[in-house]
Amino acid sequence: MLGEKKILYSGMQATGNLTLGNYLGAMKNWVSLNEEYECFYGVMDLHSLTVRQTPAEFRKRARSLYTLYVAAGLDPEKNCIYFQSHVPAHAELAWLLNCFTYMGELNRMTQFKDKSAKHADNINAGLFTYPVLMAADILLYQADVVPVGVDQMQHLEITRDIAERFNHIYGDVFTIPEAYVGKVGAKVMSLQEPTKKMSKSDENTNASIYLLDDADTIIRKFKRAVTDSGNEILYAQDKPGICNLMDIYTATTGKSKEEIEKEFDGKGYGEFKLAVGEAVVSVLKPIQDRMKELEQEKSYIDSMIKANDEKAQYFANKTLRKVQKKLGLTERIR
Ligand code: ATP
Ligand code: LTN
């Protein structure tokens, strides 16, 4: 705990254009929890390197992700928004925690299995130890709560296991973090294959709504969304396409499933898809407008990056020094 407030930690990889899934599953919760907690948000650029990146594009994308955090409503003067690679303590603690993590535990990670299948030509050790770096991110800041989408729950579990194992040997060093998964939008599915999650690395661009898609593109993608047989708007197990659209509509309008079923009673899929598209456009429009403004405010963003790097380093180093001392590493001579 930092002063009165508990600590929140989260972040995203700079691996592609953010999707509606990233927004509804994670970022929207960050904004809603923002006042209640002392918040740290990382641009996870070290994690992004587990997949090959083109340097110039990567640099641009990471900066754009930083700006998007701000555009989505996180004030960089009140929240510590920073680049993971600017705080060396992440990589250092990750090494130390590697020595407290078992191969068997990492072998069970479904994200590792999925990503190795997808990048069969580049199954690197970083992909395997990805969760250890994530544990380091969270534990360095003594986070109490970590808002993520459901797909990250397994990584949160291993973080807790590593922290508990360490604390058991060395005393109370780390706060044991809790995951925070929102009630709606925790898993937004692909618009083309509604049994798969919407993902920013999906090759089919019609499957995802990107946060910076213009209104026409958004409406067009919803019109083309794969739906199920029949024509009723009902939240039923055998209708994954309609369920996904209803979930998105709930997350963007606050309407319950019953209200939606009533609103579209006797109306067809076409009308419903258009309404979902319009609801999404109205949620994304203010973020897009703010993003355009912020792109012109380069020196403001630069100054925020600098100040927050220092703040993050201060907190992270405090934990790192404590861990080093507990482990018996020789202390620095000043
Ligand atoms: P990639 O396609 O590169 O694996 P991703 O789209 O899954 O990326 P991440 O950077 O891994 O995105 O995740 C960022 C955050 O967004 C995480 O908290 C994750 O749980 C959340 N998230 C990602 N996709 C979805 C989704 N479809 N629905 C809900 N939350 C999601
Ligand atoms: N693995 C996460 C990104 C991430 C993260 C974190 C999220 C890296 N480190 C620490 C929360 C806390 C993902 O979203 N794919």
Side-chain angles (χ1 to χ4, degrees), residues 21 58 69 74 104 109 113 124 154 188-189 199 204 218 255 261 286 292 300 308 326:
F58 178 41
Y69 285 1
L74 303 171
M109 296 292 121
K113 291 182 207 165
N124 58 71
Q154 210 185 18
V188 178
M189 308 311 266
S199 162
N204 183 352
I218 295 175
K255 292 180 188 169
E261 286 173 356
K292 282 197 196 105
Y300 170 69
N308 282 321
K326 289 279 185 185

Side-chain angles (χ1 to χ4, degrees), residues 9-11 13 44 47 111 130 134 137-138 146 148 152 155:
Y9 189 92
S10 202
Q13 301 185 74
M44 300 310 183
H47 275 113
Q111 180 176 296
Y130 180 114
M134 181 158 162
D137 302 335
I138 297 167
V146 182
V148 282
Q152 294 298 312
H155 289 163

Side-chain angles (χ1 to χ4, degrees), residues 13 47 50-51 102-132 134 151-152 154-155 158 197:
Q13 301 185 74
H47 275 113
T50 53
V51 174
Y102 298 113
M103 300 285 284
E105 286 178 303
L106 293 174
N107 260 325
R108 285 199 293 274
M109 296 292 121
T110 55
Q111 180 176 296
F112 172 67
K113 291 182 207 165
D114 294 349
K115 297 241 159 151
S116 346
K118 217 159 143 190
H119 305 278
D121 55 337
N122 183 18
I123 306 178
N124 58 71
L127 205 56
F128 189 62
T129 58
Y130 180 114
V132 185
M134 181 158 162
D151 62 303
Q152 294 298 312
Q154 210 185 18
H155 289 163
I158 195 173
K197 82 162 188 164

Side-chain angles (χ1 to χ4, degrees), residues 135-146:
D137 302 335
I138 297 167
L139 301 177
L140 273 177
Y141 300 88
Q142 305 289 350
D144 297 283
V145 60
V146 182

Side-chain angles (χ1 to χ4, degrees), residues 12 15 21-22 25 115 149 151 186-188 197-201:
M12 286 190 196
T15 41
N22 299 127
K115 297 241 159 151
D151 62 303
K187 195 159 187 185
V188 178
K197 82 162 188 164
M198 183 182 285
S199 162
K200 55 176 137 73
S201 52

Side-chain angles (χ1 to χ4, degrees), residues 58-194:
F58 178 41
R59 192 174 295 121
K60 245 193 179 152
R61 208 183 307 119
R63 169 97 185 191
S64 159
L65 181 57
Y66 189 103
T67 313
L68 202 51
Y69 285 1
V70 181
L74 303 171
D75 181 349
E77 296 184 41
K78 292 196 190 134
N79 303 279
C80 185
I81 307 178
Y82 72 99
F83 292 89
Q84 184 187 31
S85 64
H86 292 186
V87 183
H90 287 251
E92 292 183 59
L93 183 63
W95 170 259
L96 302 175
L97 297 181
N98 262 323
C99 305
F100 292 84
T101 309
Y102 298 113
M103 300 285 284
E105 286 178 303
L106 293 174
N107 260 325
R108 285 199 293 274
M109 296 292 121
T110 55
Q111 180 176 296
F112 172 67
K113 291 182 207 165
D114 294 349
K115 297 241 159 151
S116 346
K118 217 159 143 190
H119 305 278
D121 55 337
N122 183 18
I123 306 178
N124 58 71
L127 205 56
F128 189 62
T129 58
Y130 180 114
V132 185
L133 179 58
M134 181 158 162
D137 302 335
I138 297 167
L139 301 177
L140 273 177
Y141 300 88
Q142 305 289 350
D144 297 283
V145 60
V146 182
V148 282
V150 266
D151 62 303
Q152 294 298 312
M153 281 303 280
Q154 210 185 18
H155 289 163
L156 246 292
E157 280 307 315
I158 195 173
T159 300
R160 292 165 56 92
D161 291 344
I162 297 170
E164 276 166 3
R165 186 171 303 144
F166 195 96
N167 283 355
H168 186 70
I169 310 174
Y170 299 101
D172 273 346
V173 177
F174 297 124
T175 302
I176 309 298
E178 301 276 347
Y180 176 96
V181 178
K183 284 182 212 64
V184 289
K187 195 159 187 185
V188 178
M189 308 311 266
S190 153
L191 296 186
Q192 292 298 315
E193 285 174 78

